[in-house]
Amino acid sequence: MKKKQLSLLKNDPWLQPFADAINGRHQDAIDKERELTSEAGSLVDFANAYKYFGLHCNPDKSWTFREWAPNASEIYLIGDFSDWQEIERFKLHRRENGVWELNVNPEAIKDGQLYKMMVHWGDGERGERIPAYATRVVQDNNTHVFSAQVWNPEKPYRWEDKDFTPDVSPLLIYECHIGMAQEREGVGTYVEFRDKILPRIAADGYNAIQIMAIQEHPYYGSFGYHVSNFYAASSRFGTPEELKSLIDRAHSLGIAVIMDIVHSHAVKNEVEGLGRLDGSYDLYFYGDSRREHPAWDSLCFDYGKNEVLHFLLSNCKYWLDEYHFDGFRFDGVTSMLYYNHGLGQAFGSYDDYYNGGQDTNAITYLTLANKLIHEINHNAITIAEEMSGMPGLAIPFKDGGIGFDYRMAMGIPDYWIKTLKEKKDEDWHPTSIFWELTNRRSDEKTISYVESHDQALVGDKTVIFRLIDKEMYWHMMVGDDNMTVARGMALHKMIRLVTLSTINGGYLNFMGNEFGHPEWIDFPREGNGWSYKYARRQWDLVDREDLQYKFLNRFDNAMIELVSHVHNFQALPIEKLWEKDDDQVLAFKRGNLIFVFNFNPTDSFTDYGILAPAGKYKVVLSSDQACFGGFDNVDMNVEHLTISDDLYTPLCKEWLKLYLPARSAQVLKVVKGNGRRKTK
């Protein structure tokens, strides 16, 4: 019987030369799942490591602690309960397969106490370690030392979101960081974010938040990407219950909560992290030259080990099960896919994806992770941060893909930065803009964005700062007719609208960028005197009526609302109606909306003709409206009737004549079909 061809291969004939590799990686995942579930029965049942390892309070209130540490010769649990001494009562016993276990009575350990492991190995070597499955890790304010903490609330958090289902068509993501979401100079909390920031996001119309830096990390300035404790929600921002309350509140507002999960690497720290948990170098990581990431100063997981898969797959399930996250944005996927981490590689042809440089173990892990996540919650959202463009990444496993729901369109922000840095305004070509925004695989959904946190970090510049720069400090008052500010605000609105209006999956914005938050993000470090001045968001800027930031925020709200009210907007075909580089005009149609952009910096056009379907149209959004900081040159009350032209009748197109102010965008909506006029 002939084997059925995978849809990935069927839909893309150019992949046929690589069919063996694609079929092979698909079979690898099937074989590995069969191996992992031979006893458990399913991936969902297999991914229960967190229920077995770590510290657990039993039904009779006694305590059980387990750790996987095959290289250890002795392990003691030390902490407040043992005066931080190695006591026989808290000595673990070796079980099978490198597992160590301790059982103690209810009185031996109390809620809130701090603890670690003292691990012995080799010839008399030993070291303090935080358990791999610790679910609560805190830092001492004076010594700055991290320890695990017993966390067993008498009254577990009671969820109210039991029936929550994300409504994400399209997916509109507000990327955020809990610690820097507050106005004051300091570290924000889960409670502050829940009470002060979530209402803003809901009012802005976004239907999902993507939270960074949740997994515990020793260095705050790492933005959460050097993880030490994969099962612990960062205690910098509050307690587990407070994070759960934040997620619950988001769900009550109709907002899905996506976690920025880091499974691509781990911090090198040995006391806080997994670096040498049992004294060996290759417990969770490669033991050879591949152990250290050449660019990130971190450690690379060995995805070929079943115990590592057990740890990481269970981690996915843990955050879904324990905290009710609605999905994950997987960080650093490119680094995982290739032995060279994608560094210094151009990825100019399909050959680059199937040249033997792919980490098949990592690909198998990502495939199984997506399969597991969607088995736990079929509404879950998974997003890959990936820049190489590997085909099939965001295609279901059954069709031959790796199984992500979306991939980040990382070329788009790079394009905008390159345009802003290298091109004069008169050299912005609509053909180039449209091609960049729509150049993607038709069978894979992407997340389009103008800028994320990456573009806002110190050493780089946000779009608004590239446009206006130092003039933002002096000329953002309402009524100040500074030409640099006027240009910057006009292009800021246009860039965002053209990016949002061409999505085929979702759209992402980093918090504050919707209103043009000035300056950069710079976390406390020695170089800035450990200052929090730039590790926060200045919400007062958008709240003030005397500043122009409010105009950018209003426009962002309006364009988000516009696409939110079009069912499955992201799935509607994009039909190009007009592009003329000489005029710098672009127009395209989606559903019953027509988007028109005049990127020309100096020329406004009267009665500019665009070929469009016959009908009557009305402007429903204009970036030039006064409420958005524009000049009100577009009459929102005029109804535009198309004009027939025998030359284009066979194409079912007629002339739509519009006034197009320089550096402006407008959206028109069909109000009645066949309301055309005949040309004279």
Side-chain angles (χ1 to χ4, degrees):
M1 182 177 175
K2 189 175 180 180
K3 192 173 181 180
K4 185 178 179 182
Q5 187 180 35
L6 295 170
S7 296
L8 175 61
L9 292 167
K10 189 187 305 181
N11 296 337
D12 188 349
W14 292 98
L15 286 174
Q16 288 299 332
F18 313 102
D20 288 346
I22 292 170
N23 285 320
R25 78 182 187 195
H26 185 75
Q27 190 61 45
D28 284 346
I30 293 173
D31 293 342
K32 180 56 71 172
E33 180 179 8
R34 186 179 297 122
E35 178 186 345
L36 297 179
T37 61
S38 59
E39 294 183 9
S42 70
L43 271 182
V44 174
D45 292 326
F46 170 78
N48 280 329
Y50 63 94
K51 296 182 179 181
Y52 181 78
F53 292 107
L55 181 64
H56 297 278
C57 185
N58 300 313
D60 64 358
K61 303 302 181 182
S62 65
W63 298 88
T64 297
F65 176 80
R66 299 186 187 93
E67 189 74 38
W68 177 57
N71 189 58
S73 56
E74 286 186 327
I75 301 179
Y76 291 85
L77 207 62
I78 60 173
D80 294 335
F81 42 75
S82 69
D83 200 23
W84 295 95
Q85 302 299 311
E86 297 180 11
I87 297 176
E88 192 69 22
R89 181 186 184 189
F90 293 102
K91 183 177 182 179
L92 277 67
H93 301 283
R94 184 188 286 273
R95 301 303 185 198
E96 296 180 348
N97 303 317
V99 176
W100 295 76
E101 183 177 284
L102 169 69
N103 292 285
V104 293
N105 62 39
E107 293 74 27
I109 297 175
K110 304 296 182 185
D111 188 39
Q113 291 181 319
L114 303 180
Y115 69 98
K116 294 182 183 179
M117 301 184 299
M118 182 64 78
V119 181
H120 295 247
W121 67 89
D123 188 17
E125 294 183 84
R126 68 173 187 167
E128 291 185 357
R129 298 289 186 266
I130 293 178
Y133 290 83
T135 57
R136 171 76 170 165
V137 175
V138 297
Q139 185 178 25
D140 186 278
N141 292 330
N142 298 316
T143 66
H144 305 299
V145 171
F146 284 87
S147 302
Q149 185 178 39
V150 181
W151 197 258
N152 186 44
E154 188 174 332
K155 294 182 178 179
Y157 185 79
R158 295 183 62 182
W159 291 91
E160 298 178 3
D161 69 346
K162 296 173 184 176
D163 298 323
F164 177 75
T165 300
D167 182 7
V168 290
S169 294
L171 176 59
L172 303 168
I173 303 172
Y174 198 87
E175 184 186 27
C176 48
H177 183 286
I178 302 298
M180 60 167 287
Q182 80 300 327
E183 181 97 24
R184 60 182 171 80
E185 294 187 25
V187 180
T189 68
Y190 297 126
V191 171
E192 285 178 302
F193 191 93
R194 179 196 68 197
D195 295 343
K196 296 180 180 180
I197 310 305
L198 277 178
R200 288 183 180 272
I201 298 169
D204 284 343
Y206 290 85
N207 55 28
I209 54 175
Q210 181 177 296
I211 310 182
M212 309 170 64
I214 290 296
Q215 294 167 295
E216 192 60 87
H217 45 289
Y219 179 46
Y220 188 46
S222 75
F223 234 142
Y225 290 120
H226 276 194
V227 174
S228 52
N229 313 107
F230 287 78
Y231 285 83
S234 181
S235 60
R236 282 186 182 86
F237 315 133
T239 68
E241 278 63 41
E242 289 166 345
L243 174 56
K244 292 174 184 178
S245 178
L246 183 163
I247 295 170
D248 221 357
R249 180 71 60 81
H251 288 167
S252 73
L253 294 170
I255 297 172
V257 186
I258 300 166
M259 176 177 164
D260 199 343
I261 198 167
V262 184
H263 283 178
S264 48
H265 62 136
V267 74
K268 293 168 72 172
N269 300 36
E270 295 178 0
V271 175
E272 295 90 356
L274 301 173
R276 291 183 67 196
L277 191 83
D278 66 352
S280 66
Y281 290 90
D282 61 350
L283 183 65
Y284 286 97
F285 311 105
Y286 292 107
D288 54 18
S289 60
R290 295 185 59 200
R291 184 173 191 265
E292 296 193 18
H293 196 290
W296 295 347
D297 191 34
S298 55
L299 303 180
C300 300
F301 284 107
D302 182 352
Y303 304 103
K305 274 189 172 183
N306 286 353
E307 293 86 354
V308 173
L309 296 183
H310 199 203
F311 179 81
L312 295 175
L313 289 172
S314 298
N315 194 235
C316 294
K317 182 180 177 183
Y318 170 78
W319 292 109
L320 293 171
D321 185 37
E322 185 68 22
Y323 284 91
H324 293 204
F325 278 98
D326 299 295
F328 304 100
R329 179 264 202 185
F330 278 75
D331 174 69
V333 170
T334 304
S335 176
M336 300 171 70
L337 294 177
Y338 305 96
Y339 292 128
N340 66 2
H341 306 292
L343 299 173
Q345 192 169 340
F347 297 102
S349 71
Y350 276 5
D351 293 303
D352 295 323
Y353 305 119
Y354 308 102
N355 58 9
Q358 293 68 45
D359 188 335
T360 55
N361 289 330
I363 292 172
T364 295
Y365 163 65
L366 290 170
T367 305
L368 293 181
N370 276 289
K371 196 169 186 295
L372 167 71
I373 291 164
H374 291 104
E375 283 181 7
I376 294 170
N377 178 5
H378 70 275
N379 292 311
I381 300 159
T382 60
I383 305 167
E385 190 226 13
E386 207 281 318
M387 51 73 61
S388 78
M390 177 178 276
L393 191 70
I395 286 176
F397 170 69
K398 65 180 177 60
D399 296 328
I402 295 175
F404 286 97
D405 297 304
Y406 305 87
R407 64 191 311 156
M408 302 292 290
M410 299 183 71
I412 293 177
D414 291 344
Y415 173 81
W416 286 124
I417 290 172
K418 185 177 177 67
T419 299
L420 291 168
K421 287 173 65 174
E422 300 178 5
K423 290 185 181 295
K424 298 177 182 178
D425 288 7
E426 54 266 32
D427 294 330
W428 287 33
H429 294 155
T431 52
S432 171
I433 293 170
F434 187 79
W435 186 88
E436 185 64 44
L437 295 178
T438 58
N439 176 35
R440 57 209 171 202
R441 297 182 62 84
S442 60
D443 54 354
E444 299 192 49
K445 293 185 292 185
T446 59
I447 302 295
S448 300
Y449 59 108
V450 175
E451 53 190 340
S452 66
H453 69 272
D454 287 326
Q455 286 71 41
L457 289 169
V458 66
D460 206 337
K461 287 184 178 181
T462 59
V463 167
I464 198 69
F465 218 63
R466 289 187 184 280
L467 288 166
I468 303 179
D469 207 76
K470 64 181 183 299
E471 302 300 315
M472 293 190 74
Y473 298 125
W474 313 108
H475 298 288
M476 287 299 286
M477 297 292 292
V478 173
D480 188 331
D481 297 327
N482 181 275
M483 293 306 296
T484 299
V485 171
R487 167 187 176 266
M489 291 182 61
L491 289 177
H492 192 270
K493 290 179 285 185
M494 294 183 72
I495 289 169
R496 275 166 162 68
L497 180 61
V498 73
T499 303
L500 171 63
S501 58
T502 50
I503 61 172
N504 77 328
Y507 175 79
L508 177 141
N509 166 70
F510 180 69
M511 63 178 185
N513 287 352
E514 70 278 5
F515 66 82
H517 193 287
E519 300 170 330
W520 51 83
I521 298 165
D522 191 12
F523 280 93
R525 55 187 173 85
E526 189 174 0
N528 65 16
W530 302 104
S531 170
Y532 287 90
K533 182 178 180 180
Y534 298 109
R536 61 192 181 104
R537 298 283 88 178
Q538 300 177 58
W539 302 109
D540 65 307
L541 296 176
V542 71
D543 291 340
R544 284 175 55 177
E545 287 297 318
D546 60 335
L547 295 179
Q548 297 189 68
Y549 297 100
K550 65 179 182 180
F551 296 140
L552 297 179
N553 193 68
R554 288 175 186 169
F555 183 77
D556 195 84
N557 292 173
M559 71 176 195
I560 291 292
E561 182 179 18
L562 179 71
V563 301
S564 296
H565 285 84
V566 179
H567 181 65
N568 278 337
F569 175 83
Q570 77 288 348
L572 297 174
I574 303 174
E575 180 186 355
K576 188 195 302 178
L577 302 178
W578 194 264
E579 60 178 4
K580 200 168 190 296
D581 285 347
D582 291 346
D583 296 335
Q584 295 181 266
V585 173
L586 170 68
F588 53 86
K589 177 179 178 291
R590 296 196 84 165
N592 63 355
L593 297 177
I594 291 179
F595 297 83
V596 186
F597 300 84
N598 179 13
F599 288 98
N600 199 299
T602 57
D603 294 345
S604 299
F605 301 103
T606 301
D607 286 338
Y608 193 94
I610 292 167
L611 286 171
K616 184 190 296 184
Y617 296 87
K618 184 172 183 176
V619 178
V620 292
L621 178 66
S622 167
S623 66
D624 194 52
Q625 289 175 252
C627 60
F628 304 138
F631 302 98
D632 259 347
N633 288 317
V634 175
D635 191 337
M636 304 291 290
N637 297 312
V638 173
E639 291 185 339
H640 302 270
L641 282 72
T642 56
I643 304 171
S644 66
D645 186 332
D646 293 340
L647 182 63
Y648 296 101
T649 299
L651 300 176
C652 299
K653 295 287 177 65
E654 298 186 344
W655 290 106
L656 177 61
K657 297 294 186 76
L658 302 170
Y659 175 58
L660 306 181
R663 286 201 189 107
S664 72
Q666 53 190 285
V667 185
L668 297 97
K669 185 177 183 179
V670 176
V671 291
K672 185 179 180 181
N674 300 319
R676 61 184 182 270
R677 291 178 288 161
K678 183 73 175 177
T679 53
K680 294 182 180 179

